[in-house]
């Protein structure tokens, strides 16, 4: 049973465009939602994270939008650049120091 | 420099030959975990440890063992590797599994091929 469903599996965006990656979850106990970015040959690294007490969090060109009632959250990359080409993973965890649960990842390619 | 170090980075082995992938972190993190990454399946947790001598199974523990005798080290052991364990493996550590201390630091990965 997949606890965090991520889509799309792959995404091609023109330079300067907006990249949008979506995640959905079922477990209402989840209350921490990070996004990780992974470049080829590297381990994932934390990009941005949100808690459900806010509906949006922005850091530079990266924004997380959170819809608690729909149990969905998404990553928006504004003004996408070729350097943003990477695999992005959404994740979630709940209280009790439980392990992070990851989505299956989205491979983003930003083309000039 | 704060880091998670895995060794080896690449390994080709034969079916049934026991192997160990080492993982060490220098951040005094309590929480460590192992993941395998396969195309189309994302990151799947194998084992995790919340502290010394405390380990728990993740989503795909079959065929793997771990130990946590010291805080900084969390080796992954394959007693009898099989071809379906061919994968990219990541070790990760964090102060906690959740915010505000929940940032997980990942190693560079170990690409294992079992023939």
């Amino acid at each position: 049973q997949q606890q965090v469903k991520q889509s799309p599996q792959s995404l091609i965006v023109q330079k300067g465009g907006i990249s949008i990656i979506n995640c959905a979850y079922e477990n209402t106990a989840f209350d921490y939602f990070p996004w990780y970015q992974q470049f080829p040959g590297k381990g994932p690294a934390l990009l941005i994270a949100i808690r459900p007490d806010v509906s949006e969090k922005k850091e530079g060109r990266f924004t997380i939008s959170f819809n608690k009632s729909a149990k969905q959250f998404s990553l928006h990359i504004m003004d996408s650049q070729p350097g943003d080409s990477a695999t992005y993973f959404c994740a979630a965890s709940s209280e009790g120091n439980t392990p992070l649960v990851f989505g299956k990842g989205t491979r983003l390619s930003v083309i000039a | 420099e704060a880091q998670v170090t895995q060794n080896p980075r690449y390994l080709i082995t034969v079916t049934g030959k026991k192997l160990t992938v080492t993982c060490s972190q220098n951040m005094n993190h309590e929480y460590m975990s192992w993941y395998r990454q396969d195309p189309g399946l994302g990151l799947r947790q194998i084992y995790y440890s919340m502290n010394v001598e405390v380990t728990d199974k993740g989503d795909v523990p079959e065929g793997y063992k771990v130990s946590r005798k010291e805080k900084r080290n969390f080796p992954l052991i394959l007693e009898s590797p099989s071809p379906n364990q061919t994968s990219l493996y990541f070790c990760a550590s964090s102060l906690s599994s959740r915010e505000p201390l929940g940032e997980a630091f990942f190693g560079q990965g170990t690409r294992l091929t079992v023939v």
Side-chain angles (χ1 to χ4, degrees):
Chain A
Q1 180 184 356
Q2 189 182 350
Q3 296 195 58
V4 179
K5 293 185 178 181
Q6 183 172 347
S7 62
Q9 190 171 357
S10 62
L11 181 62
I12 299 174
V13 174
Q14 292 274 355
K15 179 182 175 182
I18 302 173
S19 304
I20 302 174
I21 304 170
N22 300 299
C23 283
Y25 64 96
E26 289 297 325
N27 187 348
T28 54
F30 286 152
D31 64 352
Y32 171 57
F33 303 92
W35 285 87
Y36 281 78
Q37 179 187 55
Q38 182 184 28
F39 292 108
K42 302 290 187 182
L46 180 65
L47 181 64
I48 187 172
I50 196 170
R51 288 183 62 89
D53 51 350
V54 297
S55 60
E56 186 175 282
K57 182 173 182 180
K58 184 176 181 179
E59 290 184 2
R61 295 183 295 108
F62 300 89
T63 299
I64 300 179
S65 297
F66 186 82
N67 186 330
K68 190 173 182 178
S69 61
K71 291 185 285 187
Q72 295 176 347
F73 58 109
S74 59
L75 177 69
H76 295 235
I77 306 174
M78 311 301 286
D79 187 26
S80 299
Q81 299 296 311
D84 297 330
S85 297
T87 299
Y88 292 81
F89 293 96
C90 62
S93 74
S94 56
E95 285 189 25
N97 212 19
T98 56
L100 276 173
V101 177
F102 284 90
K104 291 189 175 182
T106 296
R107 178 174 287 184
L108 171 66
S109 298
V110 181
I111 56 176
Chain B
E1 180 188 355
Q3 59 185 5
V4 177
T5 304
Q6 290 178 234
N7 280 296
R9 292 288 311 278
Y10 303 92
L11 179 59
I12 301 174
T13 190
V14 295
T15 298
K17 185 177 181 180
K18 180 179 179 179
L19 67 91
T20 299
V21 184
T22 64
C23 174
S24 180
Q25 50 94 2
N26 62 0
M27 295 168 280
N28 201 36
H29 285 169
E30 292 188 348
Y31 196 98
M32 297 186 74
S33 54
W34 276 102
Y35 296 86
R36 60 178 289 174
Q37 184 175 13
D38 302 288
L41 297 177
L43 289 162
R44 294 181 293 168
Q45 192 174 59
I46 302 170
Y47 270 95
Y48 65 99
S49 168
M50 293 191 188
N51 214 325
V52 175
E53 302 292 0
V54 179
T55 62
D56 272 299
K57 295 178 180 179
D59 296 322
V60 288
E62 293 77 22
Y64 304 95
K65 287 175 56 177
V66 293
S67 69
R68 188 91 182 273
K69 293 184 171 60
E70 308 165 278
K71 200 171 190 178
R72 63 182 291 127
N73 296 322
F74 191 44
L76 179 69
I77 303 157
L78 284 72
E79 294 271 3
S80 182
S82 62
N84 65 12
Q85 292 177 299
T86 293
S87 187
L88 179 59
Y89 291 86
F90 287 101
C91 178
S93 77
S94 61
L95 276 167
S96 167
S97 70
R98 44 196 287 104
E99 197 180 54
L101 306 173
E103 178 177 359
F105 292 83
F106 283 79
Q108 291 279 68
T110 296
R111 185 165 293 282
L112 172 65
T113 302
V114 184
V115 298

